[in-house]
């Protein structure tokens, strides 16, 4: 049985994540108190292949019951029941905007006079240790539901094993940095196709853009040194048992230079037989 525990900040998209996980073959249960998890796992073990992949969403909606999660996780480990933790996060500003738009009450503010800002700060404090313990962290601040589905599919399609999964991403700094990045590379120092009229509306997926970006000694040297660094560091992350490694490459708008380098790095890692996927966060933004 593969057991995935989904938690994270309220408003970060855990329910949407559960829908995605269900679509890719997980049996999902939303808003379950931690104390019920062991009994549910034991019951599910009788379901054979039908319940071989389970995702359980548990979070602050459980109120004081969520405080039992430490003991529950300890008991799972003591009983040799393996699990992975997926933590959904988003920036404070995005969470506040989402609560304002949907007019729902934050679970920590329910029944007491607490502002959304204070509730988010308190929740982040209470969940900080689980974010550090998480095997996978997904920040939904700058992605759509469709992009969330792509990310989770890349991570969880197949077995949730100890084999490290690598995501190679591009993004634009003008839309915000990638807070999930383990390795963040800034390529704004390289030639920019944006200022070439015939390339401005194209992206790094187009050969003409890639050729322009790489048609300089600086870009080629940058790539060679970057690949050498990655070839050195990735095995070290794998040796430490890291489940997911996110390499994020950013340029100004996230369309040209960062896309070019994310594609080149991702293809290099694939040739080295790493489990690598490529994702372009801002490529189609205006």
């Amino acid at each position: 049985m593969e057991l995935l525990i989904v938690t994270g900040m309220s408003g970060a998209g855990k329910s949407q994540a559960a829908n995605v996980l269900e679509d890719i073959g997980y049996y999902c249960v939303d808003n379950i108190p931690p104390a019920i998890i062991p009994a549910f796992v034991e019951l599910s073990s009788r379901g054979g292949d039908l319940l071989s992949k389970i995702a359980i969403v548990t979070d602050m909606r459980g109120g004081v019951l969520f405080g039992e999660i430490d003991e529950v996780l300890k008991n799972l480990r003591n009983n040799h029941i393996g699990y992975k933790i997926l933590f959904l996060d988003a920036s404070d500003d995005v969470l506040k905007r989402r609560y304002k738009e949907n007019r729902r009450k934050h679970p920590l503010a329910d029944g007491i006079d607490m502002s959304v800002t204070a509730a988010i700060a308190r929740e982040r404090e209470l969940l900080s240790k689980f974010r550090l313990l998480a095997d996978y962290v997904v920040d939904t601040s700058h992605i759509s539901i469709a992009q969330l589905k792509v990310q989770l599919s890349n991570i969880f399609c197949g077995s949730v094993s100890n084999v490290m999964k690598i995501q190679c991403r591009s993004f634009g700094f003008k839309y915000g940095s990638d807070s999930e990045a383990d390795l963040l590379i800034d390529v704004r120092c390289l030639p920019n196709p944006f200022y070439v009229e015939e390339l401005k509306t194209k992206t790094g997926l187009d050969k003409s853009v890639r050729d322009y970006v790489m048609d300089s000694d600086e870009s080629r040297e940058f790539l060679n040194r970057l690949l050498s660094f990655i070839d050195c560091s990735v095995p070290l992350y794998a040796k430490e048992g890291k489940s997911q490694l996110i390499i994020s490459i950013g340029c100004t708008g996230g369309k040209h230079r960062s896309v070019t380098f994310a594609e080149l790095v991702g293809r290099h890692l694939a040739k080295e037989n790493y489990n690598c996927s490529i994702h372009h966060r801002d490529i189609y933004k205006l």
Side-chain angles (χ1 to χ4, degrees):
M1 178 188 295
E2 294 180 6
L3 174 59
L4 180 65
I5 296 175
V6 183
T7 190
M9 297 294 293
S10 300
K14 296 185 296 297
S15 295
Q16 288 88 343
N19 292 335
V20 173
L21 291 167
E22 191 170 73
D23 288 343
I24 60 178
Y26 282 81
Y27 183 87
C28 298
V29 183
D30 194 5
N31 195 15
I32 184 173
I36 300 177
I37 292 177
F40 182 80
V41 170
E42 196 281 328
L43 180 64
S44 300
S45 66
R46 307 174 192 173
D49 291 340
L50 291 175
L51 295 177
S52 60
K53 297 169 68 174
I54 297 174
I56 296 175
V57 182
T58 183
D59 53 35
M60 287 297 173
R61 288 174 293 174
V64 295
L65 296 177
F66 186 75
E68 301 171 345
I69 191 169
D70 277 327
E71 190 64 26
V72 169
L73 295 179
K74 179 181 178 181
N75 289 338
L76 289 175
R77 291 192 297 269
N78 289 341
N79 289 316
H80 307 290
I81 298 174
Y83 62 85
K84 298 285 186 180
I85 299 176
L86 168 64
F87 191 99
L88 276 293
D89 202 355
S91 69
D92 290 358
D93 288 341
V94 169
L95 293 175
K96 284 186 281 188
R97 188 189 73 236
R98 289 174 181 172
Y99 271 101
K100 183 177 181 180
E101 290 173 350
N102 62 34
R103 300 185 179 182
R104 297 187 65 187
K105 199 172 184 66
H106 193 284
L108 290 183
D110 192 20
I112 61 174
D113 186 19
M114 180 185 288
S115 68
V116 171
T117 300
I120 290 172
R122 178 57 177 158
E123 183 178 35
R124 193 171 293 285
E125 178 185 356
L126 292 171
L127 292 178
S128 59
K129 60 181 176 182
F130 297 107
R131 194 184 196 283
L132 293 173
L133 289 172
D135 299 281
Y136 310 98
V137 177
V138 174
D139 190 309
T140 65
S141 300
H142 303 289
I143 62 174
S144 65
I145 293 177
Q147 290 173 315
L148 175 63
K149 184 170 185 177
V150 170
Q151 286 198 32
L152 294 182
S153 296
N154 287 335
I155 296 172
F156 297 113
C157 276
S159 175
V160 181
S161 66
N162 290 323
V163 177
M164 184 173 67
K165 295 177 174 65
I166 302 175
Q167 289 189 41
C168 192
R169 303 179 182 176
S170 70
F171 71 94
F173 280 100
K174 67 185 290 185
Y175 301 110
S177 187
D178 187 348
S179 61
E180 297 178 72
D182 296 296
L183 300 175
L184 195 150
I185 313 299
D186 185 348
V187 295
R188 288 177 291 183
C189 57
L190 301 177
N192 190 354
F194 180 82
Y195 298 108
V196 180
E197 191 61 34
E198 60 269 27
L199 301 179
K200 183 175 181 179
T201 58
K202 295 183 178 182
T203 74
L205 298 178
D206 296 298
K207 184 177 182 300
S208 56
V209 171
R210 293 197 302 272
D211 289 345
Y212 178 88
V213 172
M214 300 309 300
D215 188 27
S216 73
D217 293 337
E218 292 84 0
S219 294
R220 290 190 290 271
E221 180 68 13
F222 192 104
L223 177 63
N224 289 335
R225 291 178 181 245
L226 175 58
L227 294 180
S228 295
F229 169 70
I230 288 173
D231 287 342
C232 174
S233 59
V234 168
L236 299 179
Y237 281 109
K239 184 179 179 181
E240 286 298 308
K242 192 168 179 61
S243 300
Q244 175 182 255
L245 180 68
I246 298 175
I247 303 172
S248 290
I249 303 174
C251 63
T252 304
K255 298 178 185 295
H256 300 110
R257 294 166 291 181
S258 61
V259 173
T260 295
F261 269 75
E263 288 286 327
L264 292 172
V265 171
R267 293 174 189 178
H268 172 80
L269 289 168
K271 287 180 180 178
E272 296 296 318
N273 295 319
Y274 286 107
N275 187 350
C276 180
S277 61
I278 303 172
H279 173 68
H280 305 299
R281 191 189 76 182
D282 302 323
I283 190 171
Y284 297 118
K285 290 182 180 176
L286 299 176

